[in-house]
Amino acid sequence: MDKLRIKNRLEIEKMKRSGKAAATVLKRIGEAIAPGVSTADLERISRDTIAEVNATSSFLGYQPPEHQPYPATICTSINDVVIHGIPDKGHVLKAGDIIGIDTAVSIDGYHGDNAYTFAVGDISPVAERLLDATRNSLYDAIAEAKPGNRIGDISFKLQNGAESHGFSVLQSFAGHGIGRNLHEAPEVPCMGVAGRGLRLRPGMVLAIETMVNIGLPDVQMSPDGWTITTVDGSLSALFEHTVAILSDGPEILTGSALWEI
Ligand code: MF3
Ligand code: CO
């Protein structure tokens, strides 16, 4: 993870462009999600859209320590897959599934990162509750992303919004600062104590993300070296926005019509 970098006005203007592009990719994929569609089909749409908006994938070839380079431009995480599911033509959506799509792109050297969990056809009432609670907790957390507050104020809202529904948040993965690098300091955990942690300042840009399991918080790595699943097989959802902290409060850089309720 790169160090914390405060962005100036010009840099935030640039990040609005990459944020918008990342949101466009996510929205296009969302429009294509339906029973019978494979996650390889979604990868194709992602690549076409990234080219159309003149962006570059932040994920393709991305290689954290002790990982193989990531082979795709999106993560496609179905049902008990929490994060980092790899698109595959053998993974075909069916009614009742939920699928988390995570995508980041860069334009002019700056990244934008977002994720959304979609319902495929009709889903169970508890899956509906999971998606609503997770998305709402993200918005409650974003509202805390203002100067003077602390990272813990964001993390607490993510944790509380999930746990108040009897769900659990992941301990082992977190949101992050974002800019010229996909991952910059600070870490933004999905669990924490209000009033604790680094103080937020204008010019910080954070990818605030939350991963919520219906059951236990425990997760495991699959043999492919990327895919993370719940140990108890329960459903998991993720949502993420790139958010700039401005002097008058948070600005979501990855907003789009997709997120309107
Ligand atoms: N979007 C994830 C994150 O926010 C990163 C996915 S890693 C990749 O940190 F390898 F899939 F690219
Ligand atoms: Co991210």
Side-chain angles (χ1 to χ4, degrees):
M1 164 131 47
D2 199 54
K3 65 176 194 170
L4 192 157
R5 295 173 194 276
I6 296 294
K7 280 81 185 174
N8 63 31
R9 281 242 301 277
L10 179 65
E11 291 178 292
I12 289 178
E13 284 309 312
K14 289 186 178 183
M15 293 195 73
K16 283 185 186 173
R17 288 172 51 211
S18 53
K20 186 121 206 82
T24 300
V25 175
L26 195 56
K27 181 165 173 288
R28 286 286 176 80
I29 294 167
E31 287 162 357
I33 285 173
V37 171
S38 80
T39 55
D41 297 333
L42 301 177
E43 170 69 14
R44 170 54 44 209
I45 291 165
S46 172
R47 290 192 188 215
D48 289 349
T49 310
I50 291 170
E52 183 188 316
V53 300
N54 292 310
T56 307
S57 171
S58 312
F59 287 1
L60 188 64
Y62 178 74
Q63 187 170 21
E66 291 160 51
H67 280 70
Q68 295 288 106
Y70 192 71
T73 64
I74 52 176
C75 301
T76 50
S77 303
I78 302 173
N79 295 337
D80 63 325
V81 177
V82 183
I83 48 171
H84 301 169
I86 299 171
D88 188 298
K89 63 181 184 331
H91 293 162
V92 177
L93 298 175
K94 55 187 193 316
D97 286 343
I98 60 172
I99 177 169
I101 303 289
D102 190 346
T103 181
V105 301
S106 72
I107 292 184
D108 208 3
Y110 289 87
H111 297 269
D113 188 3
N114 60 6
Y116 195 97
T117 302
F118 298 92
V120 184
D122 287 334
I123 59 173
S124 70
V126 65
E128 290 274 11
R129 260 204 342 272
L130 173 70
L131 300 194
D132 286 345
T134 308
R135 190 180 48 198
N136 290 339
S137 76
L138 178 63
Y139 278 95
D140 289 345
I142 289 170
E144 299 292 325
K146 54 189 182 194
N149 273 3
R150 293 177 183 270
I151 292 288
D153 295 305
I154 296 173
S155 301
F156 171 75
K157 289 287 185 184
L158 296 176
Q159 178 174 6
N160 193 251
E163 292 183 349
S164 62
H165 288 263
F167 303 140
S168 56
V169 286
L170 244 66
Q171 295 156 6
S172 38
F173 292 87
H176 46 93
I178 182 169
R180 282 195 172 277
N181 298 283
L182 179 60
H183 296 126
E184 300 180 358
E187 264 197 3
V188 187
C190 324
M191 56 182 359
V193 180
R196 297 276 181 84
L198 185 74
R199 196 177 284 283
L200 304 176
R201 286 195 280 147
M204 287 181 176
V205 183
L206 304 176
I208 302 176
E209 58 187 300
T210 188
M211 291 140 277
V212 177
N213 300 347
I214 286 182
L216 298 174
D218 309 78
V219 297
Q220 63 200 356
M221 172 69 84
S222 304
D224 68 17
W226 275 104
T227 307
I228 304 286
T229 62
T230 59
V231 170
D232 64 6
S234 68
L235 296 179
S236 187
L238 89 146
F239 288 87
E240 175 179 27
H241 265 315
T242 297
V243 179
I245 298 173
L246 306 178
S247 54
D248 57 353
E251 178 163 345
I252 296 174
L253 305 185
T254 44
S256 80
L258 168 65
W259 294 79
E260 283 164 16
I261 300 163

